[in-house]
Amino acid sequence: MKTSPLLLAVLALASGHAQADDAPEFDRPGIGFSTSTVGKHVIVWEQGLPDASRDRSDGLTTTTWTADTLLRVGLADTLELQLGAHSWGRLRLRGPGIRVQDSGGGDGSAALKWAPPLANEQLSVAFKAGASLPWGRAPLGDAGHDYDLGVTATWALPRDSSLAFYIDRQWGEGGSGWLFSPSYGFALRPQLSAYVEAGYGTGAQYMRAAGAGVTWMVSPRVQLDASFLRGLDADTTDWQGGVGVSMAFD
C-alpha cells in the first residue's frame, strides 16, 4: 500500500518537533482513555485515518467511515482540555431496494481530563467529564446534547504490561447508559505494543464486544495505531476499527 505524501509530511514535521523526553500517553486507540495528561503547554493531535464500522441487520448493511479528530491541550501538569470532532464522515446503506450514501462533517465534543498524582507508583487513575457539541447534520451528526463522566484506573505489571479498567456514564438527549471496559496491554518490542480489550455497555451505550490493537512509536512523539472490535451479539455493531496517528508538540 502506497503511503500518502501528506501523511509523510505530517510525520516529518512532528518528528522535527520531538524532544528527548518520553511521549505522553495517547488516548488512541481503544474504548477507554489513558491515565495521564499531556503536560502543561503540550499539544497533542490524535487523528483517525479513518475509523470505520460495518453492521448487517435485517437485510440492511450499514457502513460508516469517520475521520475522528482529537486535540488535547495541557492546561496544567495534571489537567488538560480535549476538543474533538468527527471532522469527516461517510455513511452507506445497502439493502433490498435501498441505496443510500451521504458524507460530510459530524458532531464535536469538549472535555476536561484530570490525572491526579498518587502515592502508589504502580497505580494511576484519570477522570474525564465531557459534553457533545451537536453541530453536524443528520444522519452523520446532530445527535443532540449528551454528557458523560468517565474514569480509568491502570495497574502497572511486570515486563512492561498493564491491566486497566474503564467505566463511563452517559446521559442526555441521546439517552443514558453505562459502559465498562477491561483491557490488558503488553509490549511486543521496545517501540511496538499491543492490547486486548472487551466492552460491556447498557442503554444508549449498549455494547457486547471484544477486540485488540497495536501501537508503534515511529519517533519519540509520533505513534501509529491499528485496532478492531468484534460485536458479540446481534444488537452490537458487527465490526469496528481503524488506523490512526497521534503526535505531540511542545
Side-chain angles (χ1 to χ4, degrees), residues 1 19 31 42 83 103 108 141 146 169 176 186 190 196 202 206 211:
M1 182 177 64
Q19 304 295 318
I31 298 173
V42 175
L83 300 174
S103 62
D146 292 303
R169 171 64 172 173
S176 62
F186 52 95
V196 292
T202 66
Y206 185 89

Side-chain angles (χ1 to χ4, degrees), residues 6-65:
L6 177 59
L7 177 58
L8 290 175
V10 171
L11 292 175
L13 176 63
S15 298
H17 284 77
Q19 304 295 318
D21 55 345
D22 292 336
E25 286 186 278
F26 298 111
D27 281 359
R28 282 191 62 95
I31 298 173
F33 52 81
S34 67
T35 54
S36 68
T37 51
V38 298
K40 191 174 182 179
H41 300 149
V42 175
I43 297 176
V44 164
W45 173 29
E46 304 187 10
Q47 181 66 52
L49 295 174
D51 298 313
S53 67
R54 182 180 179 87
D55 184 66
R56 182 173 178 81
S57 179
D58 298 326
L60 182 65
T61 300
T62 304
T63 307
T64 61
W65 297 267

Side-chain angles (χ1 to χ4, degrees), residues 23-30 34 46 160 162 184-197 212-219 222-228 242-246:
E25 286 186 278
F26 298 111
D27 281 359
R28 282 191 62 95
S34 67
E46 304 187 10
D160 294 325
S162 63
Y184 174 70
F186 52 95
L188 298 173
R189 294 182 179 178
Q191 284 77 42
L192 186 66
S193 299
Y195 69 90
V196 292
E197 66 179 351
V214 294
T215 60
W216 176 34
M217 297 300 299
V218 297
S219 82
V222 179
Q223 173 188 277
L224 298 180
D225 68 73
S227 62
F228 77 92
V243 295
V245 60
S246 301

Side-chain angles (χ1 to χ4, degrees), residues 10 13-14 24-28 33-34 36-39 41-48 67-75 79-87 107-113 128-131 133 135 245-250:
V10 171
L13 176 63
E25 286 186 278
F26 298 111
D27 281 359
R28 282 191 62 95
F33 52 81
S34 67
S36 68
T37 51
V38 298
H41 300 149
V42 175
I43 297 176
V44 164
W45 173 29
E46 304 187 10
Q47 181 66 52
D68 286 322
T69 301
L70 179 66
L71 290 178
R72 302 167 59 191
V73 181
L75 304 179
L79 183 68
E80 70 180 41
L81 171 67
Q82 296 193 353
L83 300 174
H86 302 312
S87 52
D107 293 338
S109 64
L112 285 174
K113 182 180 178 183
K128 188 169 73 169
L133 304 173
W135 57 45
V245 60
S246 301
M247 296 168 282
F249 304 88
D250 282 332

